[in-house]
Amino acid sequence: MTIHHDKLAYGKLASLSEELSEEKLLQMLKELDDDNENEQDKKENNESAKKLPR
């Protein structure tokens, strides 16, 4: 693979990083926690369904 260094292109690309406020980070953590709880509930429901006699 060849890497070309184009000094003219520097600064023209959009930054991939963004500054996040503490509020935004807390919101993201809450959403991750909610997703984790939903996955845990699904897992528990599947396990309890397997235990039911058919």
Side-chain angles (χ1 to χ4, degrees):
M1 180 169 88
T2 303
I3 299 173
H4 298 280
H5 297 281
D6 187 355
K7 290 183 180 180
L8 295 175
Y10 290 164
K12 293 184 180 180
L13 300 176
S15 174
L16 295 177
S17 65
E18 71 177 84
E19 294 295 321
L20 297 174
S21 67
E22 185 175 346
E23 183 177 301
K24 179 73 172 174
L25 288 172
L26 291 173
Q27 178 64 28
M28 292 168 73
L29 287 172
K30 181 183 180 307
E31 290 175 12
L32 286 171
D33 189 46
D34 290 347
D35 288 346
N36 190 28
E37 288 177 4
N38 289 339
E39 289 295 321
Q40 190 68 25
D41 289 344
K42 287 179 186 177
K43 185 177 179 181
E44 289 172 2
N45 288 341
N46 286 338
E47 289 175 0
S48 63
K50 290 178 183 177
K51 293 178 182 178
L52 294 176
R54 293 181 181 198

